[in-house]
Amino acid sequence: KKTLLLSVVISIFLAIGQTFTSSYPLFLVLRTLSGVSSVAYMSIHITYRDEFFPSTKRPVCYFLGLLFKAAGLMLLAAVYEAFTTWRALNGACAVLLLVPLLVVFVPESPHWLLLNSTTEATTDVLIKMARFNLGPKHGLTAEHFQLKKAKPVEGAESESGNVMMIIRNRAFLIITLKFFFHWFVTSMLYYAFYYALDALSGSVSTNFMIMGALELPMAAVTAIMMDKIGRRKTLLINLLLVMTCCGLSLLKVTLAGDWTIKRVVNRWL
């Protein structure tokens, strides 16, 4: 929780600095640091959010997350249309960054508390989670949990759940690298398409808003698929769909005038 709050606060100050700086090299430095802070925020909030919900409700959490993401893209397009200068746009985004500070009202991660704090603090958070997920009449008390911190075994590797487990556990490392590669490819495709929005007809802000609107039904479909057929099959189907669409985009398909998908792809490359 504290790391998430820190990344948001740093992002706010960096956005303010980008708004008022008159030095282009300084702007590039602030922009780079802002990207690093955003990655930290995105990496933390997914795990942090999923800790508070049972596995049966995580597809709904996923859908709500994408819902707000799509709404944010559409709002960004509206803000882009309303403000004529990049400084005003950057300042507006800095103001919007105040919203994530509401995480201060969310309890600390129970997993982190169990490893770094007391069992009493962890139990308090778990009871709050039960009240939220099961209703106020859940009937759970501290006696139901009976948490105990695991005692380290002499000569055994620590299983405290820290990041170094990725390196120590070979099987976990292989699985993690697969997901890292998935994120790498997905990010390249996702941002490459948004960078090419100015190659489409119409204004950039309109195209941005359309792209955000298109994510709304896809988020719902993906959440339903995750709930019905599982996470792995949903991921595989989506990757195959993306691969097929990227392959078809290499074909020279004339849509209107001299606009072709091949020309847009060549611009990306």
Side-chain angles (χ1 to χ4, degrees):
K1 176 180 176 179
K2 293 177 182 177
T3 307
L4 185 61
L5 279 172
L6 181 62
S7 66
V8 174
V9 172
I10 291 175
S11 296
I12 293 174
F13 281 102
L14 290 173
I16 294 174
Q18 294 170 60
T19 302
F20 293 101
T21 183
S22 57
S23 170
Y24 184 68
L26 179 58
F27 174 82
L28 291 180
V29 172
L30 293 175
R31 190 64 181 172
T32 301
L33 295 176
S34 179
V36 173
S37 180
S38 298
V39 170
Y41 172 81
M42 293 173 62
S43 302
I44 298 169
H45 94 276
I46 296 176
T47 306
Y48 183 44
R49 176 199 65 194
D50 289 350
E51 276 193 71
F52 293 97
F53 298 94
S55 58
T56 54
K57 292 185 179 180
R58 285 174 190 167
V60 178
C61 297
Y62 166 83
F63 168 69
L64 292 176
L66 288 185
L67 180 68
F68 279 95
K69 174 177 172 291
L73 292 174
M74 298 172 67
L75 178 62
L76 179 61
V79 172
Y80 176 82
E81 193 70 25
F83 295 95
T84 56
T85 64
W86 65 267
R87 289 185 184 276
L89 175 62
N90 208 79
C93 291
V95 174
L96 292 175
L97 279 171
L98 295 173
V99 177
L101 290 177
L102 293 175
V103 75
V104 71
F105 298 106
V106 180
E108 181 56 87
S109 159
H111 179 73
W112 186 90
L113 286 174
L114 185 60
L115 297 176
N116 299 279
S117 185
T118 63
T119 56
E120 290 78 9
T122 309
T123 302
D124 290 340
V125 174
L126 291 176
I127 292 176
K128 291 179 182 178
M129 291 169 57
R131 186 183 302 116
F132 181 83
N133 288 303
L134 303 177
K137 298 181 180 180
H138 56 81
L140 295 177
T141 62
E143 288 72 21
H144 288 89
F145 295 100
Q146 297 181 350
L147 299 176
K148 294 181 180 180
K149 291 193 175 184
K151 297 181 180 180
V153 179
E154 186 177 354
E157 291 187 358
S158 173
E159 295 294 336
S160 61
N162 55 42
V163 179
M164 295 305 295
M165 284 183 62
I166 299 176
I167 301 176
R168 288 196 292 263
N169 191 315
R170 183 174 180 273
F172 191 63
L173 175 61
I174 294 175
I175 294 175
T176 304
L177 289 176
K178 290 179 180 178
F179 280 102
F180 281 172
F181 181 74
H182 164 68
W183 272 101
F184 173 75
V185 175
T186 303
S187 297
M188 286 188 64
L189 293 172
Y190 185 84
Y191 290 108
F193 192 85
Y194 272 97
Y195 287 151
L197 285 179
D198 59 340
L200 301 176
S201 59
S203 66
V204 175
S205 57
T206 302
N207 294 333
F208 214 90
M209 186 170 292
I210 292 174
M211 287 300 302
L214 288 175
E215 290 194 19
L216 293 175
M218 289 309 302
V221 171
T222 303
I224 294 173
M225 291 177 63
M226 289 171 59
D227 191 42
K228 298 298 183 181
I229 65 175
R231 276 69 161 169
R232 186 172 66 172
K233 292 180 180 178
T234 302
L235 178 61
L236 180 61
I237 291 173
N238 278 280
L239 288 176
L240 290 174
L241 180 62
V242 171
M243 182 183 69
T244 303
C245 293
C246 288
L248 293 175
S249 68
L250 297 175
L251 302 176
K252 186 176 181 180
V253 182
T254 303
L255 298 182
D258 62 347
W259 192 93
T260 62
I261 294 179
K262 183 177 180 180
R263 185 172 69 84
V264 177
V265 172
N266 288 335
R267 181 167 184 173
W268 292 349
L269 299 176

